[in-house]
Amino acid sequence: MSGLLQKSVEKGALGSISSVSSTATSYQGPAMKFELVGKCSKSKARAATMKLPHGTVETPMFMPVGTQASLKGLTYEQLKDLGCKICLNNTYHLGLKPGQETLDTVGGAHKLQGWNGNILTDSGGFQMVSLLKLATITEEGVNFLSPHDGSPMLLTPEHSMSLQNSIGSDIMMQLDDVVATLTTGPRVEEAMHRSIRWLDRCIKSHKNPDTQNLFAIIQGGLDLDLRRQCCAEMAARDTPGIAIGGLSGGEDKESYCRVVSLCTDLLPANKPRYCMGVGYAEDLVVSVALGADLFDCVYPTRTARFGNAITRFGNLNLRSRKYMDDFSPVEEGCGCPICKPKSEGGLGITRSFIFHLAAKETAGAHLLTLHNVYYQLELMRRARRAILQDSYPDFVKQFFHDLYNGDREKYPSWAITALKTVNIDL
Amino acid sequence: MTSDSMASSSFQTIKAASSSTSLARIGALKVRSNSSPVRTPTFLCPTSRGVIPHLSPDNVVKCETTASVGALISVEDFMEKAPQQNSALLKYPGPTRDLFSFPSKFGLALSHRRPVPVPSPQANFDDKVSVMTPEGFKYMTVDMYSEFITKFEPDMVFSIPDIPNLSPGGKPGNNRAQKMLKRTEKWLDELLEQRSKHTTGFEIFAPILPGLAAEFQSNYLQKIKSDARITGISLWNAQAARLSERQAELAKKRDVAKHSGASLDGEAAISTVTSYVKALHEDVSRLAVAYNSGLETPHEVLDLVNSGVDLFVATGINDFTDAGVALDFTFPASEEHPDFGFNLWDPKYATDMTNFGRANRDTVPNTYYRAYVHHLLNAREMTSWVLLQMHNIAVFNRFFEGIQKSIENGTFEQEREKFVKVYGTSEEVQVFRDLYKKKDSVPTVRGYHISYESEVIRRGEGSTQRLNDPPFKKYKEDASQN
């Protein structure tokens, strides 16, 4: 293991050797300082501060997705007011528009967007698979047809790194070989091994290790043995953080929880763990209990545009006529700018008004986007507070109680099972 | 406090028109919500379904609107599907305006239709008018309008005119014209009656009927002049005149026989306005003149200010925003900054890291660059229009402040000429605005906000195309196009 690490350091792709000597509760890399500040005494839930080049992020943290360099319809003032410290951009989309050349000219995505918080970028590989049916994967990289002119193109780990270097994201992801989660058989193993080889290529071609953190991605489908192997290999490469990938693709929740729990057991405790593409409130709460720190999903913003509000008491489809004359706030007691009554400095928006705007005026979507993003951020803030007070199990219980109106019969069995493994009995 | 004494003091001319060639003047309009009287010429921000397009209420607060009297709300936006059912919003326990979370200092004006209404194929009746709801055409009874007025507690109300549904270029016959007058007068009387019972009070704007010569409605005009309960008049016609020109053009192109005699005499809308205004307030300084048919360019504002108009509905802001233009003009025009605006679709802005407009520097707290907005437009991201809208409102706001100053200094007429010299004509800036306009380059169009003109032209061309392109295509369709 140390041999591998030594090799990487020689390549100059990683941070200073001091990272090795860091204690088990903190990690100091050239572009990140990660420090555990609290741990649940029962479950694996943990709270940490993560100092990144563009400010400190307190975990557990949900990161909203600004696919094409803007969070759907919001301005960065609004995003800051919600307390957001880090958001996502998609490498694939930014590579197409505005394009690498533009990003290089203007000096990166932070500058372009006027956003001085942190940015995390994916590798672009996921979009290859999700958007482009004709993508084929070879050892060299992902072959796909350009959506613009249909010409064949190739995304290699080197190209992905180069793009992410141009974007200048604070956290960048390795290119991994993504297979649909439900795939079984040798293809999964092949993808796992290839992802490891691609990580090495990514590390080698990463130009700015002093200002940008490269995260590895654990693959291996739902096969726990493959995941084990992958965790060991990836951890050995000593990237500043590690993501658990290849999930949230239609697998059953039990398997999801098993994989996450296994990975958090094996991964170094002093580094952030990022559950990619996880976004439902229940998944967040359970995954935090299983030891994950970072999450991202388009769900809160996308569902807002369909007129859906995420609330503590369940989701509301505000396009339904039953909300036409419902003059209560979207979520009673919510502290977001739209739900807070006017007397407390909020907007005092009602369900009726959202119904009136939903799917007709974009301002309706903006309002719900504000609410939903706030909800996700606040959920994680509350989780963090609970962890720091060592009352996370109570928080989890209250969360499910609110969500299902106290009806234990309705609690999802996967959540009960998963939480039991970390000593939380719903 | 009697309603009469309130009304008589609501509008005052501060500086009357003094030139023989210009009716431009300074006034002060006092409405309930504004803490102090707003200077005129001023503008209303048009809304769609109770919001200024693209802006959530928290962003409205951040907009620079010091020269604006408030927003215009159109009641047709709130009509519901079931004919018997009134809008659910009427059930709101407080005044309906609170629902929209507008800044409390914002004056709200109420109109039965949008400033640029979708033309209706139905005829009006003695007690109801045809309007376009989000779910199709429907009748709004005058009673229902008054119910909305009660619930909204607006600052200003535009009384409903009876505008007939004419064939292109047509003029109302004698009988129809009589009926127009009779109904409009009756509806105005009912509104005056309602106001006398209303607790909060609101300013009433009486409509002047388009298409009828000022002499024809002289009795009606006389009545408006002498009724102290009326704060101002509203003009509805220029849009129709402009449309007729375009239709005539189209008719010529397509089928001359079918539309024979369709062309209006091309009489400029503006001069019509002038004639009405002249007939009315040459000697009356207590009536505010509102022009609530929307406007396309700042040039039209200047022309109408010159014709004596005090209050505008600034629909042009939305048009520029939707077209991706960051306005940059000022009044007086600046020779140092001769850009009317920046059409941020232009590829030359792809890497332009300058702030996207001068007004933007101090209105939008963050720094947003032309390159960014260009990228957002290119990516069809909604944030582009949010940023542009906030910026363009600020530009219009300063434009109106500039107009007021120049009238005060007596330089309005020469500045108006210079404006055209520096920035080009109204037609030129419209061409500039629409340079990159394509179906998929503008925000999603709804049936209720397609403009009057484009709808008529669309139908005139027999177009059965959808308003918007479908967001997704099958992969193979995509490929076959390449």
Side-chain angles (χ1 to χ4, degrees):
Chain A
M1 180 172 164
S2 65
L4 250 176
L5 177 69
Q6 194 58 41
K7 211 169 130 201
S8 305
V9 171
E10 278 164 12
K11 284 179 201 159
L14 282 178
S16 69
I17 197 82
S18 71
S19 58
V20 182
S21 60
S22 63
T23 65
T25 57
S26 75
Y27 167 82
Q28 171 84 57
M32 176 201 282
K33 186 178 182 197
F34 183 83
E35 200 167 14
L36 287 176
V37 293
K39 207 179 165 319
C40 174
S41 56
K42 275 188 164 170
S43 70
K44 293 198 273 176
R46 47 199 228 144
T49 55
M50 182 165 73
K51 276 199 186 122
L52 288 169
H54 289 85
T56 302
V57 173
E58 299 189 320
T59 71
M61 171 62 85
F62 175 81
M63 306 178 283
V65 183
T67 304
Q68 308 197 74
S70 82
L71 202 80
K72 300 290 176 182
L74 300 196
T75 66
Y76 280 112
E77 287 79 64
Q78 289 174 304
L79 197 55
K80 265 178 227 158
D81 290 347
L82 295 177
C84 177
K85 296 280 169 25
I86 179 167
C87 67
L88 256 77
N89 283 172
N90 284 103
T91 299
Y92 166 81
H93 291 284
L94 292 195
L96 289 174
K97 287 171 189 174
Q100 188 166 17
E101 208 178 312
T102 303
L103 286 165
D104 283 334
T105 315
V106 305
H110 292 89
K111 267 202 174 158
L112 178 72
Q113 297 166 70
W115 166 245
N116 52 18
N118 293 294
I119 295 176
L120 183 150
T121 45
D122 65 346
S123 63
F126 181 71
Q127 271 73 28
M128 302 290 141
V129 180
S130 70
L131 295 180
L132 304 166
K133 285 238 165 67
L134 296 182
T136 53
I137 295 172
T138 63
E139 187 57 30
E140 204 185 352
V142 187
N143 287 298
F144 64 101
L145 300 181
S146 158
H148 282 336
D149 52 13
S151 60
M153 293 175 78
L154 177 68
L155 180 75
T156 61
E158 289 76 18
H159 187 210
S160 172
M161 285 300 104
S162 156
L163 271 170
Q164 294 186 68
N165 285 150
S166 294
I167 292 170
S169 45
D170 303 276
I171 297 178
M172 44 201 271
M173 304 306 299
Q174 72 156 111
L175 183 70
D176 54 345
D177 183 357
V178 184
V179 289
T181 313
L182 299 177
T183 315
T184 49
R187 176 71 186 96
V188 184
E189 187 168 358
E190 185 197 13
M192 188 273 280
H193 287 298
R194 183 172 287 148
S195 294
I196 299 169
R197 290 193 296 272
W198 281 2
L199 174 62
D200 288 332
R201 283 167 64 186
C202 285
I203 292 175
K204 200 174 165 191
S205 58
H206 178 15
K207 283 198 294 277
N208 311 320
D210 288 344
T211 52
Q212 295 181 270
N213 298 289
L214 172 63
F215 277 28
I217 304 175
I218 308 292
Q219 286 291 347
L222 303 177
D223 185 323
L224 298 185
D225 274 335
L226 292 180
R227 289 277 176 180
R228 251 183 227 116
Q229 277 184 51
C230 197
C231 282
E233 291 284 344
M234 294 299 192
R237 278 149 180 88
D238 198 27
T239 53
I242 295 159
I244 305 168
L247 292 174
S248 47
E251 76 279 6
D252 59 295
K253 296 276 173 100
E254 283 87 355
S255 312
Y256 163 82
C257 291
R258 264 200 301 276
V259 170
V260 171
S261 196
L262 174 82
C263 291
T264 56
D265 283 341
L266 298 173
L267 292 174
N270 63 338
K271 287 180 183 177
R273 300 128 175 200
Y274 163 29
C275 261
M276 299 180 81
V278 173
Y280 294 132
E282 287 156 285
D283 300 5
L284 295 182
V285 169
V286 173
S287 303
V288 167
L290 298 176
D293 306 307
L294 298 169
F295 308 91
D296 82 285
C297 193
V298 295
Y299 165 67
T301 44
R302 178 170 295 167
T303 204
R305 299 199 295 285
F306 301 152
N308 296 319
I310 313 174
T311 82
R312 183 141 51 127
F313 311 103
N315 291 1
L316 308 173
N317 178 355
L318 292 174
R319 281 173 310 162
S320 159
R321 274 194 181 262
K322 71 177 170 198
Y323 297 112
M324 190 159 70
D325 50 5
D326 184 342
F327 299 113
S328 54
V330 173
E331 179 188 334
E332 204 73 58
C334 169
C336 86
I338 83 157
C339 292
K340 233 186 337 188
K342 267 201 155 172
S343 55
E344 291 167 32
L347 295 172
I349 299 294
T350 59
R351 294 172 182 184
S352 167
F353 189 43
I354 302 277
F355 165 81
H356 181 71
L357 295 175
K360 291 210 168 71
E361 284 298 324
T362 53
H366 302 342
L367 287 168
L368 272 187
T369 304
L370 282 171
H371 170 82
N372 286 355
V373 170
Y374 177 88
Y375 174 84
Q376 301 279 99
L377 293 172
E378 182 64 15
L379 180 69
M380 290 294 97
R381 282 192 287 253
R382 280 175 25 229
R384 180 183 163 90
R385 278 198 293 274
I387 296 167
L388 292 176
Q389 294 163 1
D390 201 9
S391 60
Y392 193 68
D394 296 336
F395 169 82
V396 176
K397 280 175 206 162
Q398 186 64 43
F399 169 82
F400 279 97
H401 181 273
D402 288 343
L403 192 57
Y404 293 101
N405 201 16
D407 187 354
R408 274 165 207 275
E409 298 287 297
K410 285 189 187 152
Y411 288 8
S413 62
W414 65 267
I416 297 174
T417 317
L419 288 167
K420 241 182 213 149
T421 65
V422 288
N423 311 315
I424 298 177
D425 188 7
L426 281 182
Chain B
M1 141 174 94
T2 74
S3 52
D4 284 11
S5 70
M6 260 178 68
S8 57
S9 60
S10 295
F11 180 79
Q12 277 170 349
T13 308
I14 293 176
K15 184 169 191 277
S18 51
S19 141
S20 58
T21 48
S22 172
L23 293 173
R25 59 177 187 170
I26 301 268
L29 179 62
K30 172 88 187 94
V31 300
R32 194 166 35 84
S33 294
N34 300 135
S35 44
S36 53
V38 172
R39 295 213 126 192
T40 67
T42 180
F43 68 102
L44 287 162
C45 301
T47 64
S48 185
R49 300 186 71 70
V51 291
I52 297 174
H54 310 298
L55 300 185
S56 50
D58 54 331
N59 276 334
V60 175
V61 183
K62 293 177 194 154
C63 286
E64 182 184 312
T65 54
T66 43
S68 165
V69 65
L72 176 73
I73 304 258
S74 309
V75 172
E76 66 179 344
D77 281 349
F78 308 104
M79 304 277 291
E80 302 294 339
K81 196 174 186 178
Q84 300 85 352
Q85 196 177 12
N86 283 354
S87 169
L89 302 189
L90 290 175
K91 297 183 200 154
Y92 186 63
T96 316
R97 60 181 291 152
D98 288 355
L99 258 180
F100 305 126
S101 200
F102 271 115
S104 55
K105 296 278 164 63
F106 230 47
L108 287 191
L110 219 55
S111 171
H112 72 303
R113 300 215 62 185
R114 298 163 72 93
V116 186
V118 178
S120 160
Q122 298 167 324
N124 296 338
F125 283 81
D126 280 346
D127 59 347
K128 56 188 179 184
V129 283
S130 176
V131 297
M132 168 77 168
T133 74
E135 289 151 336
F137 289 105
K138 193 165 295 174
Y139 283 109
M140 180 198 294
T141 63
V142 179
D143 287 346
M144 192 180 292
Y145 188 51
S146 72
E147 206 177 320
F148 271 99
I149 294 168
T150 307
K151 276 304 282 183
F152 264 92
E153 301 192 0
D155 297 277
M156 292 160 269
V157 174
F158 291 108
S159 187
I160 305 176
D162 177 27
I163 300 175
N165 168 29
L166 298 170
S167 55
K171 281 188 173 169
N174 199 37
N175 280 347
R176 186 69 185 87
Q178 296 286 0
K179 209 190 270 175
M180 281 168 73
L181 264 178
K182 207 180 93 198
R183 284 178 185 165
T184 305
E185 219 173 319
K186 176 172 166 261
W187 296 338
L188 177 62
D189 284 339
E190 284 169 10
L191 185 63
L192 289 165
E193 172 69 20
Q194 184 189 358
R195 185 178 177 286
S196 66
K197 293 179 202 147
H198 210 269
T199 46
T200 47
F202 47 81
E203 311 306 324
I204 291 177
F205 284 77
I208 304 296
L209 289 165
L212 302 188
E215 307 83 64
F216 190 86
Q217 31 189 337
S218 60
N219 282 348
Y220 172 62
L221 297 183
Q222 199 54 48
K223 180 182 155 170
I224 295 171
K225 262 199 234 180
S226 57
D227 194 330
R229 294 171 298 173
I230 296 168
T231 304
I233 57 168
S234 59
L235 302 161
W236 299 72
N237 61 335
Q239 192 80 28
R242 205 168 43 221
L243 177 70
S244 296
E245 279 176 46
R246 291 282 287 273
Q247 277 180 326
E249 240 170 71
L250 188 74
K252 234 188 239 165
K253 223 169 48 186
R254 277 184 59 234
D255 181 0
V256 184
K258 211 164 149 192
H259 288 267
S260 57
S263 100
L264 261 191
D265 42 13
E267 176 192 43
I270 309 291
S271 70
T272 325
V273 170
T274 314
S275 79
Y276 287 135
V277 174
K278 277 210 168 124
L280 263 167
H281 78 161
E282 255 180 342
D283 55 343
V284 178
S285 57
R286 61 152 209 95
L287 284 175
V289 180
Y291 181 77
N292 55 347
S293 301
L295 50 94
E296 299 236 3
T297 61
H299 302 69
E300 291 178 18
V301 174
L302 295 176
D303 292 347
L304 288 162
V305 165
N306 201 50
S307 305
V309 175
D310 306 300
L311 177 62
F312 294 86
V313 184
T315 54
I317 300 175
N318 295 343
D319 298 335
F320 284 108
T321 297
D322 290 354
V325 174
L327 296 170
D328 203 49
F329 65 83
T330 52
F331 193 83
S334 154
E335 273 139 346
E336 283 162 56
H337 301 283
D339 285 306
F340 177 78
F342 310 104
N343 195 323
L344 294 177
W345 276 100
D346 194 326
K348 75 178 174 195
Y349 296 118
T351 55
D352 187 340
M353 293 296 274
T354 42
N355 214 318
F356 69 77
R358 276 175 293 142
N360 177 245
R361 241 170 257 159
D362 28 82
T363 51
V364 185
N366 209 345
T367 309
Y368 291 109
Y369 302 114
R370 292 177 193 164
Y372 182 48
V373 180
H374 171 77
H375 159 69
L376 292 179
L377 287 167
N378 238 329
R380 313 289 189 276
E381 283 286 328
M382 292 182 285
T383 307
S384 58
W385 296 302
V386 174
L387 297 175
L388 284 170
Q389 185 80 329
M390 291 172 81
H391 167 81
N392 287 341
I393 287 176
V395 172
F396 258 78
N397 192 60
R398 290 169 192 202
F399 173 63
F400 274 90
E401 279 172 355
I403 291 174
Q404 291 164 11
K405 262 183 218 137
S406 73
I407 299 174
E408 221 161 295
N409 303 337
T411 55
F412 175 74
E413 282 181 273
Q414 68 213 54
E415 293 298 352
R416 182 174 153 228
E417 273 169 37
K418 187 177 155 200
F419 188 85
V420 180
K421 227 177 269 164
V422 173
Y423 300 123
T425 64
S426 182
E427 289 71 32
E428 279 163 355
V429 305
Q430 286 180 60
V431 169
F432 167 75
R433 180 193 66 197
D434 297 339
L435 227 41
Y436 296 88
K437 205 168 173 181
K438 281 182 303 197
K439 218 174 173 186
D440 64 349
S441 72
V442 293
T444 306
V445 179
R446 304 286 171 199
Y448 56 87
H449 53 45
I450 180 166
S451 80
Y452 195 93
E453 264 174 78
S454 44
E455 172 62 7
V456 168
I457 287 165
R458 198 171 73 99
R459 290 200 181 159
E461 283 167 352
S463 171
T464 52
Q465 280 185 322
R466 296 169 182 217
L467 293 179
N468 304 291
D469 285 328
F472 301 107
K473 286 176 192 149
K474 280 184 189 150
Y475 182 81
K476 283 205 172 142
E477 273 176 39
D478 243 357
S480 65
Q481 283 173 5
N482 294 324

